[in-house]
Structures are given as structure tokens and as C-alpha cells.
Amino acid sequence: MTDTLPWQLRDYNTYLETVRNAAQADEEHILIAPFVEPTSLSEGVLVGAVVSVKATFDVQGYATTAGTKLLGQVPAEQDADAVARLKAAGASILGHTNMTELAYSGVGLNPHYGTPRNPLNAERIPGGSTSGGAVSVAMGLADIALGTDTGGSLRIPAAFCGLVGFKPTQQSVPRKGCAPLSDSLDSVGPIAEDVATCRLAWQVLSDSQNTDINVQAMTLIVPENFGVDQLDDSIKHGFESVIAQIKANGFNVEQMSIDAFEDYKQLPVWQFSAIESRRHYGQLLDLESEQLDPRVRKRIARGASVSDQEFADTCWRRQQLISQFRKQFDNTVFLLPTVACRAPKFSDFAMDEDFDRINLLCLRNTTFANVIDGCSISLPFSYQDEPMGLLLTAMNGQDTALLALAEQIESVLRR
């Protein structure tokens, strides 16, 4: 890991004042609640770092809105476990960042609080659901964004905004104090400018130590029958270029069709968020309220059409898939484009049918890691001046090895 990270070299007090002024001005809809809590600690691995917090996490003294107008009437009594660990490591906390309402989409649109514009192209969406988090890092207001990932909500905005997004193994980071979308699929993780910072953040969040890993033992595979079709031409050529670059730098990358992906494609993945969000939020708010984003309301309503037995069957099939992939690909890292398309323009979402199609396409490749209970990271690269992401996905518990490999590949992509 890098000995000294960029944020450790700057004048902390000057930077914090800049952040405070920008948070109060916030004309880009980055923050739902523009507060700044400087650290009082002089020691800790995150002293000097500013961390933005997705509005789905409890921060003591502030309302947790989860991006909706129907929650957050009472300030949180204590920090979410993830927030508490970041503070204990010396991080300063920046605001509650904007997000898709209830974290229910991969594009990041929010009709209640506005949608942050992509810092790389103001006509394009930032990606979601951790939209404000990614933009806070891309604009230099935060060093780390704390977010959630149910089907790509860290990695999609990271890819669209030229950043690194890391979805850890679900059980490695506590979710207490974080409003859920899907208890089955939700993970808590960071977005940052580089792998080293994501690694450090994850070590704090998971309370784990850095260990040496034999990256050479991992097999790199591009699955020919999943995630590489329906690509924008620029994404297709950019991905091919990156794979060639990786191979040219000594990495052995295999390309093959994998039967297990055919089984995966038959799983009704949408049921997890639709049903589990309905079960959770149905007790807290009116799911028929016109104050809900109509597109969020529609997806939650879809869960009512699934019987308990049907969902139990889906959960069983998921567990079978998890076992199948772990048995066959325990030391494997799958390589894919993070998102099949370039960051869409805001104007692309005029019709609901367009929203549904684009949202599903954005989520397609990233959701795989959540369903198989794995870990996954998106690395930024550019092709013909278009920001893109390279997605690396490994099995459950391979976080340390995946991060080590990602850091090696990152060094290749930045040459």
C-alpha cells in the first residue's frame, strides 16, 4: 500500500475551511444536510481525511432521510457503526450526501433534493444510488465517500465520475444504523480516488489488518456469456483495449463461456430489493404516498405480486448459485466493464420506459457480485476521453486479495 496518501500531505485546517464553505454554498445538490464535524483526535489512520456520509447512515444529532421526504423527522441518537468506526480512526465527517430515494436505482436521480451533476460532464448523470458521495470525492470536497451497494451503488457512480468504488464482502462491514434497501444484498463500502485509500477505509470499516496475499494464485477470467453484450461501442472498444493492456503487462487473462452464468441469468434478482424494501419501509411510511418518487414507488409495489413461497424459492436458488460459484471459482477474479453504457444524459430519462431500460443496463454487471455474496471493485480508466470502469469481482472473503490485485492493475491503467 502507498506509504503516504495525497490527502495526508495537505494543510488540514485550510482544506477543512474550504470544505465548510463549499458545503454551506452547495449549489450542486451534493448534500442533503450540509454539516461538517472536524475530528478532535490527533492520532488515527484517518486523521486529516474528510469523509462524506450517504444519507442512509445515522449520524448522531442529524436526521437520516435516506433521500426521501417521508423519513428523517427525528435526529439520530447515535452514529451508525460504520460512521463510528470512521470517527474513531480520526476522520472528519462532511454532511449527509444526496442519493436516489431509498437507494432504489443505479442512476442517482432524486426529484426531492435535486440530482448532483457529473463533474466530468454536467449534461450526464452521476450514477447512483451513492450519487452525492461520488460527486463529493470527484469535486475534492471529500477524500472518501461512505456509501452502500445493493446492486452497484458504489461502483456505478465511481465509474461514471472517474473514481474507485469498492463493494466489500457483505458481512465484513457492519450495517447497524444504516437504512436498508435489501437485507440480502446490501453492502457498506467506500468510494475514493485510488485503491490505497479504499483499502485503508475498508480496513477501518471492517476492523481488519493488512496481510500479504499471493495475487499470482488468482485466475483472471472474462466471461464470454455474461456482461460483455449490449455494450456501447466506446465501452466495448475501451474494455478490449484495457484487457489487452493488462495482458501486455504480464497478467494472464482467460476468456471463456461459463455455464454457471446461464443459471445466474435465470434468477429474478429484482425480487430482493422489491420485496425486502417493501417489508421494511411498509412499517415506516405510506408506500402509496405521492411524496415518493413514482419510479421508486412502482418498483416497491412490484414486490406485492410475489408470494412468500415464490420468494423463498428465489432465496433458495440464490444460495445454490452462491455454492456453485464458490466451489468452481474460489480463486477467480471476473473482469467486466463496470457499466455497459457511458454515463447517460439527463435528457435520456424523459420516459419511464427509458428509465427502466437504462437503469437495468447500468446495474446488470455490478449486481452479480451482490447476488453471489462476493466482493467487487471498479477501477477508473479513460478511452477516447470517455470515463469508464473496469470491474473486478471475486468470491466471498477475498477482499484483501482483490484489493491487492486491484492496486497492481491500477498501476498499469495509470501509465
Side-chain angles (χ1 to χ4, degrees):
M1 189 173 80
T2 305
D3 292 331
T4 303
L5 296 167
W7 50 267
Q8 295 170 325
L9 300 174
R10 66 176 176 233
D11 181 272
Y12 171 71
N13 290 325
T14 300
Y15 177 70
L16 197 64
E17 186 61 28
T18 300
V19 169
R20 183 180 286 109
N21 292 337
Q24 292 298 328
D26 191 21
E27 298 176 353
E28 301 296 327
H29 308 296
I30 298 169
L31 301 170
I32 287 175
F35 59 86
V36 179
E37 285 194 357
T39 184
S40 59
L41 303 179
S42 58
E43 294 184 358
V45 295
L46 291 181
V47 168
V50 173
V51 178
S52 66
V53 177
K54 189 175 184 176
T56 194
F57 292 92
D58 289 344
V59 178
Q60 186 178 25
Y62 301 95
T64 308
T65 65
T68 182
K69 294 287 189 178
L70 298 173
L71 296 175
Q73 306 305 313
V74 179
E77 295 183 359
Q78 62 184 24
D79 291 330
D81 284 358
V83 174
R85 290 186 176 186
L86 293 166
K87 286 184 176 180
S92 296
I93 302 300
L94 165 65
H96 264 142
T97 56
N98 204 346
M99 57 183 284
T100 306
E101 186 171 18
L102 304 182
Y104 210 159
S105 91
V107 299
L109 305 182
N110 189 306
H112 311 300
Y113 297 98
T115 301
R117 294 191 177 275
N118 191 318
L120 303 181
N121 187 328
E123 293 183 351
R124 298 183 182 274
I125 65 166
S129 62
T130 313
S131 53
V135 175
S136 72
V137 174
M139 293 190 67
L141 296 181
D143 305 295
I144 299 164
L146 176 65
T148 59
D149 189 308
T150 306
S153 289
L154 289 161
R155 294 161 289 157
I156 295 167
F160 286 168
C161 295
L163 302 168
V164 177
F166 178 49
K167 174 236 164 312
T169 296
Q170 185 189 51
Q171 73 267 25
S172 71
V173 180
R175 290 176 289 139
K176 182 180 178 182
C178 175
L181 175 61
S182 165
D183 285 326
S184 294
L185 306 184
D186 291 347
S187 294
V188 172
I191 296 173
E193 288 191 345
D194 50 56
V195 177
T197 301
C198 278
R199 181 208 292 263
L200 183 59
W202 174 72
Q203 288 173 347
V204 169
L205 291 167
S206 62
D207 194 24
S208 63
Q209 301 298 315
N210 186 34
T211 56
D212 293 330
I213 293 293
N214 180 16
V215 173
Q216 303 305 319
M218 305 193 79
T219 301
L220 309 186
I221 294 178
V222 175
E224 294 178 332
N225 59 327
F226 177 76
V228 291
D229 62 325
Q230 300 181 56
L231 304 179
D232 283 0
D233 285 344
S234 59
I235 299 292
K236 179 179 183 295
H237 297 311
F239 179 66
E240 291 172 348
S241 175
V242 161
I243 295 301
Q245 185 180 0
I246 292 171
K247 288 181 176 179
N249 280 272
F251 292 90
N252 180 34
V253 180
E254 302 177 25
Q255 297 179 248
M256 64 181 71
S257 181
I258 295 172
D259 291 342
F261 276 106
E262 297 305 318
D263 295 330
Y264 169 77
K265 286 187 283 189
Q266 299 306 310
L267 191 72
V269 173
W270 64 269
Q271 290 184 7
F272 293 99
S273 292
I275 292 170
E276 292 177 344
S277 65
R278 186 174 187 82
R279 289 175 178 175
H280 178 78
Y281 288 109
Q283 305 172 54
L284 302 175
L285 53 85
D286 178 9
L287 296 178
E288 302 301 321
S289 172
E290 292 186 359
Q291 292 186 66
L292 274 176
D293 179 347
R295 289 164 172 169
V296 170
R297 188 170 67 237
K298 182 177 74 172
R299 291 200 296 286
I300 293 177
R302 192 180 180 192
S305 66
V306 183
S307 70
D308 289 346
Q309 184 57 56
E310 286 176 313
F311 187 51
D313 291 343
T314 297
C315 292
W316 179 84
R317 290 170 59 192
R318 180 199 176 209
Q319 291 304 316
Q320 295 301 110
L321 275 171
I322 290 172
S323 298
Q324 183 179 3
F325 272 96
R326 284 183 188 169
K327 182 178 180 179
Q328 296 181 16
F329 304 106
D330 189 44
N331 292 313
T332 297
V333 174
F334 294 109
L335 304 181
L336 290 169
T338 304
V339 189
C341 59
R342 297 174 296 171
K345 295 181 179 180
F346 284 91
S347 58
D348 293 336
F349 296 93
M351 305 293 291
D352 284 350
E353 311 88 79
D354 296 327
F355 175 90
D356 292 339
R357 174 180 54 80
I358 295 171
N359 183 49
L360 287 174
L361 190 60
C362 286
L363 290 163
R364 184 192 64 183
N365 290 6
T366 50
T367 300
F368 168 69
N370 303 77
V371 174
I372 61 150
D373 194 25
C375 51
S376 184
I377 190 167
S378 178
L379 303 180
F381 69 95
S382 180
Y383 180 77
Q384 295 182 342
D385 297 325
E386 283 284 352
M388 302 176 188
L390 174 66
L391 188 68
L392 285 67
T393 299
M395 298 301 108
N396 183 288
Q398 297 279 8
D399 303 71
T400 301
L402 180 66
L403 286 162
L405 174 65
E407 207 159 7
Q408 290 185 8
I409 293 178
E410 177 186 51
S411 68
V412 171
L413 300 183
R414 293 190 171 186
R415 288 174 189 169

